[in-house]
Amino acid sequence: DVKVTQSSRYLVKRTGEKVFLECVQDMDHENMFWYRQDPGLGLRLIYFSYDVKMKEKGDIPEGYSVSREKKERFSLILESASTNQTSMYLCASSFPSVQETQYFGPGTRLLVL
Amino acid sequence: DAKTTQPNSMESNEEEPVHLPCNHSTISGTDYIHWYRQLPSQGPEYVIHGLTSNVNNRMASLAIAEDRKSSTLILHRATLRDAAVYYCILRRYYGGSQGNLIFGKGTKLSVKP
């Protein structure tokens, strides 16, 4: 079974802190994604990556950066956390194909105080 | 990606079939119809996908209208574990990677014992 793991299920940080969210997948997938999910807004794409060291902006990249130094690992970085970044963060990975099923991690619920 | 329309919520009784509708009147010839679901406190998971023909797998069936402007996800015998938000998503295939999934608000399915 494909496994996508995220470093934390719950995280509490203070405004201005630098926050790292890590995602690891074990299926050698080329594609990896970071979404955030907020009530009433659904899932929105922050960044994605098609290969090591490659990244593309999604719909809401402001205030975030990403890093993909190894194929299996995709990190989301909040450079200076703000209260409006309180959200559920979901990581996903996929293999490029017609079907391209995306496999999601369990999510990290981040609270910024 | 073309837009999909789903009811906000539906209710079902346990052990009964459930038909979850999705309208996609602006679908194009190369759009695949994907369904994902999200159980409470979990990341989304893939359910099924199709292009033109009806599809079956161990989780569900997908019935696609002849003109492809609508589709229906069928759960043959709903269980309490099927209570989730179900998302209908269109993915355009260009060849190679398809990029991010665009989630709408989905249909929240409640299952009564």
Side-chain angles (χ1 to χ4, degrees):
Chain A
D1 271 356
V2 175
K3 201 157 193 177
V4 179
T5 56
Q6 296 184 227
S7 48
S8 307
R9 289 301 305 267
Y10 301 95
L11 210 51
V12 180
K13 295 291 180 181
R14 296 208 174 274
T15 301
E17 279 192 79
K18 192 167 186 175
V19 182
F20 293 87
L21 302 181
E22 288 239 303
C23 175
V24 178
Q25 50 93 4
D26 66 358
M27 278 299 290
D28 203 34
H29 284 166
E30 275 79 0
N31 300 337
M32 295 190 75
F33 307 84
W34 275 106
Y35 296 86
R36 66 178 279 179
Q37 185 172 29
D38 302 288
L41 296 176
L43 275 82
R44 293 178 292 167
L45 182 70
I46 304 171
Y47 268 97
F48 59 101
S49 169
Y50 289 146
D51 204 347
V52 175
K53 296 194 185 295
M54 289 183 61
K55 60 185 178 184
E56 296 283 343
K57 291 180 180 179
D59 299 320
I60 49 164
E62 295 79 19
Y64 303 95
S65 62
V66 290
S67 172
R68 191 153 180 218
E69 296 297 317
K70 293 185 177 181
K71 192 174 186 180
E72 67 270 19
R73 191 177 297 267
F74 193 34
S75 301
L76 179 70
I77 303 151
L78 285 65
E79 297 290 343
S80 176
S82 63
T83 54
N84 62 13
Q85 292 179 309
T86 291
S87 186
M88 168 71 89
Y89 290 88
L90 290 157
C91 174
S93 72
S94 70
F95 180 77
S97 68
V98 170
Q99 174 178 324
E100 193 162 348
T101 299
Q102 288 197 10
Y103 296 89
F104 284 81
T108 295
R109 191 167 290 281
L110 172 67
L111 173 62
V112 182
L113 300 173
Chain B
D1 291 304
K3 187 177 167 61
T4 62
T5 305
Q6 299 177 253
N8 289 333
S9 62
M10 290 183 66
E11 270 191 1
S12 171
N13 294 317
E14 199 175 11
E15 307 279 312
E16 289 184 358
V18 181
H19 290 231
L20 296 162
C22 181
N23 286 319
H24 28 79
S25 58
T26 59
I27 192 170
S28 80
T30 52
D31 284 339
Y32 283 75
I33 303 160
H34 288 244
W35 284 81
Y36 281 72
R37 73 178 186 180
Q38 187 171 19
L39 280 66
S41 302
Q42 294 189 29
E45 65 173 343
Y46 168 81
V47 177
I48 201 167
H49 82 286
L51 182 61
T52 56
S53 305
N54 294 344
V55 184
N56 300 296
N57 67 20
R58 63 175 178 82
M59 288 181 73
S61 295
L62 177 60
I64 302 172
E66 200 169 327
D67 64 4
R68 301 211 323 127
K69 294 186 176 183
S70 65
S71 60
T72 302
L73 180 71
I74 303 164
L75 307 179
H76 295 285
R77 286 182 65 196
T79 70
L80 297 178
R81 288 173 296 179
D82 290 322
V85 178
Y86 287 79
Y87 298 97
C88 170
I89 300 163
L90 300 184
R91 299 291 305 283
R92 186 156 297 165
Y93 181 61
Y94 298 105
S97 178
Q98 308 314 303
N100 61 300
L101 294 168
I102 298 175
F103 286 79
K105 296 186 178 171
T107 297
K108 184 173 183 178
L109 175 66
S110 303
V111 180
K112 295 184 287 185

